[in-house]
Amino acid sequence: MRRLSAVLIIAAALAPSLAHAASPHPAPDHGWYVAGKGGPSLEMLSGASGHAGSAPLTETDATNAVGAFGMAGGYEWSYRYHIPLRTELEFINRTEMTYDASPLQKGGSGALASTVQNVTTMAKAYWHFPVGSTRWWPFVSGGVGWAHNTVKSEYTASGQAASKNTHAEDSVAWTVGAGATFKLGPQVMNDIEIRYVDLGSVDWGLPADRNVSVSGPGGLSATELVFSLRYMF
């Protein structure tokens, strides 16, 4: 949650000072756009737990640096309606993060090797602030949508062959962030955004005596630096 607090502090610091900044307002030359997105993502798994009544897990947290890549399509409301708002539908695919525990449970002997792969589809909104320039402007952002988390695992009990399993789960995802837009040309925009993303819940889908799950706010989350290139039309 410290990463969420840091992003919120950045967004809060931008808003009051920019709300009264000088004109002109952001001035895109077109309304509709498509975008390609990508950047580094620091994924964190926090508070992993086992089935009620089972032994505590030896590893409850994991942090991995992964890649986040995707696309979006949306509309600039300032083009025709002079509202400093941009809305879009975004699809992001993140590469796999790892969660391993050997032994899996305290006092046990079985080992777990696994990966978690996340995909999100979100409706997002960006509120722009004028800074006296038509070439760049800062923004704050937020969004909500759907997370699809797929776990691939391999559990090896002492003296036995490894058993493999794949399990997927869907849940709600949401995000908040802040950044800036740079106008590269009449039809090309570049966005740079730092954001916090709650990636929903995860369940390993293993037998109850050795299952692993993560749920609740911040259970699976990411802090991301996202670079976007938008083509306006």
Side-chain angles (χ1 to χ4, degrees):
M1 298 303 288
R2 286 179 295 179
R3 295 174 297 147
L4 171 59
S5 300
V7 173
L8 290 176
I9 289 170
I10 293 171
L14 282 172
S17 59
L18 295 173
H20 304 289
S23 293
H25 290 278
D29 297 315
H30 301 271
W32 296 102
Y33 67 85
V34 292
K37 299 190 173 193
S41 175
L42 185 65
E43 276 194 40
M44 178 178 287
L45 185 151
S46 179
S49 61
H51 188 269
S54 61
L57 302 178
T58 58
E59 300 290 342
T60 59
D61 303 317
T63 301
N64 286 193
V66 303
F69 306 95
M71 63 186 69
Y75 188 78
E76 285 270 14
W77 293 88
S78 56
Y79 171 58
R80 288 189 182 276
Y81 304 101
H82 308 294
I83 302 171
L85 173 69
R86 173 162 62 93
T87 54
E88 72 176 26
L89 183 65
E90 176 197 82
F91 173 84
I92 295 289
N93 183 83
R94 295 169 181 85
T95 57
E96 295 177 334
M97 72 169 293
T98 61
Y99 170 82
D100 299 332
S102 181
L104 173 60
Q105 298 166 326
K106 294 181 180 179
S109 58
L112 176 69
S114 64
T115 62
V116 181
Q117 198 269 327
N118 169 270
V119 174
T120 53
T121 303
M122 282 198 263
K124 295 194 64 184
Y126 302 80
W127 188 264
H128 300 283
F129 299 96
V131 291
S133 173
T134 58
R135 304 303 300 178
W136 80 278
W137 45 87
F139 60 78
V140 292
S141 63
V144 65
W146 162 77
H148 183 75
N149 294 312
T150 303
V151 178
K152 295 179 181 179
S153 62
E154 182 176 287
Y155 181 81
T156 306
S158 179
Q160 298 182 26
S163 59
K164 297 183 179 182
N165 186 65
T166 299
H167 187 265
E169 182 164 313
D170 298 325
S171 57
V172 174
W174 57 269
T175 180
V176 293
T181 294
F182 300 89
K183 187 175 182 180
L184 304 183
Q187 292 180 272
V188 183
M189 301 283 192
N190 173 225
D191 304 311
I192 301 175
E193 178 186 17
I194 183 169
R195 66 186 187 183
Y196 172 88
V197 191
D198 189 301
L199 299 173
S201 58
V202 189
D203 192 292
W204 270 245
L206 299 172
D209 62 341
R210 60 175 182 266
N211 194 32
V212 178
S213 63
V214 174
S215 60
L220 180 63
S221 62
T223 300
E224 301 178 330
L225 182 62
V226 181
F227 299 90
S228 305
L229 193 63
R230 290 190 281 133
Y231 176 75
M232 314 288 294
F233 60 92

